[in-house]
Amino acid sequence: MTNPPTPARVLLLLPTTTWRAEAFLTAARRLGLEVTVGTDRRLVWAGREPERVLTLDFADPEAAAETVAGFAATRPLKAVVGVDDDTVILASVIAARLGLPHHPLAAVEAARDKQRQRDVLDAAGLPVPAFTPCRLDADPRAIGAKVGFPCVLKPLKLSASRGVMRADDAPALGAALRRLRALLASKDVGACGEDAVTGLAEAFIPGREVALEGLVEGKALRVLALFDKPDPLDGPYFEETIYVTPSRLPADAQAAVIDCATRAVAALGLARGPVHAELRVDARGPWIIEVAARPIGGLCSRVLSFGDGVSLEELILRQAVGLKTEGLTRERRAAGVMMIPIPSEGVLERVEGADQAGRVPGIEAVAITAHPGERLVPFPEGSRYPGFLFARGETPEAVERALREAHGRLRFVLSKAGAGSTANASPR
Ligand code: ADP
């Protein structure tokens, strides 16, 4: 009699503050995979579960890779998976050390740094806005002379639109430079070295914005979903709200977006794993805003379902361990998510109307992720949405309507400096 095959083991790199853990762990369970969680903080129970938790120094990828290699000598790993911008870089170092397939390090590093990404894509002839790196104490008029107004100022390495600001003239850019410098110096961000004193300024690209979720396999991009962002994202800050798929862009515009993203993936050298790209489309065609070597963030992935209830995380893990993913396409129905806008600055006391929001036809889930007592910090300094709404329907229009109606039923009760205040989440 032969022993049953040992289940494949995956190393899942989870930052301590992530919403992604549950979805990945559920997917791994469904696939019958053994999971070892790589964490950068020693957990009290870690010592008792040496197979399940591996404490790594996330700040020292080479040392972390050595630790993993030691672990894998007795418990072989089939794949290593990061879940966000930083852990995919670590995953790529570890994968290279172990000889496992992954996006190459140079590619994930180029994607991670907004200026390097622009350099690579521009050199490859891809449509990116005019851009220039800038010192945050530079003369705003000199920056404006390079990229023109309106322009967008952004940090090199933050994500989720944090610190991204539009400026329409030199005085506004001066204010944005000061604001970004303060944000980067804040305890919360704690940027060091060049990242603390440098930003990226670029021409503002008008037009509609879309997000593309994909998987790269054998260097080719497979599009899993194309989302419209129906709320105008004209600044001065760029808080996301609604994502709806399928896209309502004309077929030729969608094809141009996909072609552009495909060429960007190739130019960056991304080879195997998830990608999330943001593009804008104006009369001139598509423009790349950003390509990230990771899946969509927050709880948003719940909006995607492939085949028989297969989640995005399951698709990612399937690919990582070499299981079949072909034929797993997104369900036929339209689907959407709203990242609930931060109503205003203050301490959250409670959220009212969640039940009513959940009863709006088409709404599948209301996930309030902020907890009572949590300080809500608006963009551009903040970036943590207080929750998410999910909807499905026959058409993108119906999904968008449901999300707006549900949002209109939510009321965030905040206390500001001792005084109670109510922020009505009116439809936008
Ligand atoms: P992050 O990685 O923090 O999300 P991005 O560079 O993707 O930073 O910018 C966040 C958002 O800001 C984009 O989704 C887009 O809405 C807006 N944005 C960024 N750059 C530009 C630009 N050059 N023109 C117009 N909008 C922009």
Side-chain angles (χ1 to χ4, degrees):
M1 238 176 70
T2 54
N3 290 327
T6 322
R9 181 176 291 278
V10 174
L11 177 65
L12 187 61
L13 300 174
L14 292 178
T16 42
T17 53
T18 181
W19 293 113
R20 318 304 316 285
E22 194 185 322
F24 272 103
L25 293 171
T26 304
R29 216 172 300 128
R30 263 179 63 116
L31 291 170
L33 300 174
E34 295 283 357
V35 176
T36 298
V37 170
T39 169
D40 64 347
R41 204 172 283 178
R42 190 164 290 280
L43 300 174
V44 278
W45 45 278
R48 286 190 226 143
E49 300 267 9
E51 305 244 308
R52 298 194 175 208
V53 182
L54 194 56
T55 306
L56 302 170
D57 184 353
F58 278 23
D60 186 348
E62 295 302 332
E66 274 316 302
T67 307
V68 175
F71 174 89
T74 51
R75 283 143 298 195
L77 291 167
K78 186 90 181 173
V80 49
V81 174
V83 302
D84 68 354
D85 289 311
D86 291 320
T87 49
V88 292
I89 292 193
L90 181 58
S92 134
V93 174
I94 295 172
R97 172 74 177 77
L98 269 54
L100 298 171
H102 194 276
H103 289 313
L105 179 61
V108 290
E109 282 184 339
R112 178 74 183 99
D113 181 304
K114 292 187 192 344
Q115 189 201 326
R116 270 182 70 187
Q117 177 166 152
R118 286 278 179 265
D119 285 335
V120 170
L121 298 183
D122 189 39
L126 280 147
V128 291
F131 64 98
T132 181
C134 59
R135 304 276 305 182
L136 298 178
D137 57 2
D139 178 355
R141 284 164 305 185
I143 299 171
K146 289 191 186 152
V147 297
F149 289 109
C151 70
V152 173
L153 175 69
K154 50 178 81 169
L156 298 179
K157 288 209 181 123
L158 297 185
S159 52
S161 304
R162 196 170 187 200
V164 180
M165 290 171 267
R166 168 176 164 162
D168 288 354
D169 52 29
L173 181 56
L177 287 162
R178 286 190 293 279
R179 201 162 172 180
L180 182 54
R181 207 162 50 191
L183 171 62
L184 293 173
S186 68
K187 203 163 85 213
D188 191 26
V189 175
C192 311
E194 278 302 296
D195 291 347
V197 292
T198 315
L200 183 70
E202 50 188 47
F204 174 80
I205 304 290
R208 297 176 64 174
E209 189 160 317
V210 293
L212 181 152
E213 198 65 27
L215 262 190
V216 186
E217 179 72 70
K219 300 189 180 171
L221 174 66
R222 171 175 160 204
V223 179
L224 301 175
L226 187 61
F227 291 96
D228 286 336
K229 303 188 185 185
D231 278 331
L233 288 162
D234 288 333
Y237 317 124
F238 297 92
E239 182 172 28
E240 307 249 36
T241 55
I242 296 180
Y243 274 43
V244 182
T245 189
S247 170
R248 283 167 273 176
L249 281 181
D252 57 345
Q254 292 193 31
V257 162
I258 291 170
D259 175 63
C260 192
T262 302
R263 290 191 292 134
V265 161
L268 288 165
L270 295 169
R272 193 173 194 268
V275 285
H276 178 81
E278 319 271 353
L279 296 97
R280 283 198 169 207
V281 184
D282 70 4
R284 297 166 290 179
W287 296 84
I288 296 163
I289 298 296
E290 179 161 64
V291 178
R294 54 154 174 85
I296 192 169
L299 294 181
C300 293
S301 67
R302 285 191 194 171
V303 74
L304 293 172
S305 174
F306 304 87
D308 183 20
V310 171
S311 64
L312 176 64
E313 290 76 12
E314 184 172 333
L315 213 57
I316 291 168
L317 289 179
R318 277 180 165 274
Q319 186 203 37
V321 299
L323 293 172
K324 253 174 74 100
T325 61
E326 307 86 42
L328 289 170
T329 50
R330 204 188 71 76
E331 62 180 328
R332 186 194 51 81
R333 279 181 309 166
V337 54
M338 177 188 259
M339 289 156 251
I340 300 173
I342 298 165
S344 61
E345 164 116 48
V347 174
L348 181 65
E349 285 193 354
R350 63 184 181 280
V351 180
E352 296 172 351
D355 289 348
Q356 289 98 307
R359 283 198 283 273
V360 171
I363 293 293
E364 293 202 331
V366 177
I368 304 297
T369 45
H371 51 80
E374 180 171 328
R375 172 163 289 282
L376 302 186
V377 182
F379 282 73
E381 282 79 13
S383 67
R384 260 172 87 89
Y385 299 100
F388 302 81
L389 299 169
F390 298 91
R392 282 194 165 72
E394 281 308 307
T395 62
E397 290 80 1
V399 166
E400 183 182 335
R401 257 196 319 273
L403 291 169
R404 292 192 192 286
E405 191 180 334
H407 180 228
R409 295 184 182 190
L410 292 176
R411 271 161 42 93
F412 285 81
V413 181
L414 308 181
S415 64
K416 277 186 189 164
S421 81
T422 301
N424 200 343
S426 55
R428 325 165 15 138

